Amino acid sequence: QKEVEQDPGPLSVPEGAIVSLNCTYSNSAFQYFMWYRQYSRKGPELLMYTYSSGNKEDGRFTAQVDKSSKYISLFIRDSQPSDSATYLCAMRHLSGGYQKVTFGTGTKLQVIP
Amino acid sequence: KAGVTQTPRYLIKTRGQQVTLSCSPISGHRSVSWYQQTPGQGLQFLFEYFSETQRNKGNFPGRFSGRQFSNSRSEMNVSTLELGDSALYLCASSLTSPRPDRGLTNTEAFFGQGTRLTVV
């Protein structure tokens, strides 16, 4: 079983829809939770990060963490065609004295105009 | 400010050969991490270098190695290539190496566009 599970999609939604992207994890040692966006033929870019359980909002994006259920989500409101990309969740924890990052496999999102 | 530069962008190699990939981090960044990305496994951490020292290592065989130079540029080497090594290899740079007592401040990783390696 992978430490981080993420539905690969693809997920196809109409423009303006609310998108929900999710990841589950099994390692209780994970401390920081991040979401990256990766456009085709580009490297991932950090979208949001959070440490504690609860919600964190940034513009149209909301990151939600539920540590008791080992479940994180990214919500995108009023989705735009420019949001079409692969979204990767990532989790950081202490390993061997240093922080180690584990990524989900990514969910491909397509927003249709 | 120039971003992370990876060379070459594309590479085709034959099984059994070796390959060296290069990464130039953002100016002033001292930490360089390498990742392998495949459709089935996603992004997998290879190793991280900070001030020319390997600080962290993922679960890859010894055929995968790397180094970092005094100017923070890093190279990754894969020897005795296998078909399964075909992947996008990504390099990420950050200001500092994440330590347990620090948050994400100054540790945000900036990724390059990657090197697409195809082994035939």
Side-chain angles (χ1 to χ4, degrees):
Chain A
Q1 185 189 5
K2 291 182 180 178
E3 284 188 298
V4 178
E5 298 279 357
Q6 185 175 9
D7 187 335
L11 183 61
S12 189
V13 301
E15 183 176 353
I18 296 174
V19 176
S20 172
L21 304 166
N22 311 297
C23 286
T24 59
Y25 63 95
S26 57
N27 191 343
S28 300
F30 288 137
Q31 298 170 306
Y32 288 95
F33 305 88
M34 299 160 282
W35 286 95
Y36 283 81
R37 178 176 61 196
Q38 185 175 20
Y39 290 114
S40 180
R41 300 173 190 258
K42 300 282 188 181
E45 57 177 329
L46 182 64
L47 262 183
M48 297 187 71
Y49 69 89
T50 185
Y51 175 73
S52 57
S53 284
N55 294 350
K56 182 177 180 179
E57 194 173 311
D58 184 2
R60 297 185 295 111
F61 298 89
T62 300
Q64 187 178 77
V65 174
D66 183 345
K67 286 188 177 181
S68 61
S69 301
K70 296 189 178 67
Y71 188 89
I72 71 169
S73 298
L74 178 70
F75 298 97
I76 306 174
R77 291 184 299 280
D78 187 25
S79 56
Q80 303 294 309
S82 58
D83 295 329
S84 298
T86 296
Y87 290 80
L88 301 136
C89 63
M91 307 183 187
R92 210 175 83 183
H93 73 292
L94 184 61
S95 174
Y98 291 88
Q99 298 286 340
K100 178 186 171 186
V101 180
T102 303
F103 284 84
T105 51
T107 299
K108 189 170 184 178
L109 171 67
Q110 184 179 19
V111 180
I112 303 169
Chain B
K1 193 175 189 181
V4 179
T5 304
Q6 289 189 248
T7 57
R9 288 291 310 281
Y10 302 93
L11 207 50
I12 299 176
K13 288 286 188 178
T14 305
R15 267 185 307 174
Q17 285 187 311
Q18 74 164 14
V19 67
T20 299
L21 312 181
S22 179
C23 172
S24 293
I26 292 172
S27 178
H29 284 197
R30 296 168 64 190
S31 172
V32 173
S33 299
W34 287 89
Y35 294 85
Q36 181 195 67
Q37 187 175 35
T38 58
Q41 298 297 317
L43 259 175
Q44 292 185 285
F45 174 74
L46 280 154
F47 28 65
E48 182 205 0
Y49 286 87
F50 180 76
S51 292
E52 302 178 65
T53 302
Q54 187 179 89
R55 293 291 184 137
N56 216 340
K57 192 175 187 301
N59 299 321
F60 277 79
R63 299 186 297 108
F64 292 82
S65 63
R67 59 177 176 169
Q68 187 179 34
F69 302 95
S70 58
N71 61 359
S72 294
R73 190 177 72 84
S74 177
E75 285 183 348
M76 190 192 89
N77 184 275
V78 187
S79 62
T80 319
L81 283 166
E82 300 176 0
L83 295 178
D85 296 333
S86 295
L88 179 67
Y89 289 88
L90 288 158
C91 160
S93 80
S94 58
L95 268 175
T96 61
S97 178
R99 294 292 296 274
D101 57 338
R102 292 182 184 171
L104 269 173
T105 304
N106 292 334
T107 64
E108 178 185 346
F110 294 86
F111 283 85
Q113 295 198 66
T115 294
R116 173 76 60 185
L117 171 65
T118 302
V119 182
V120 298

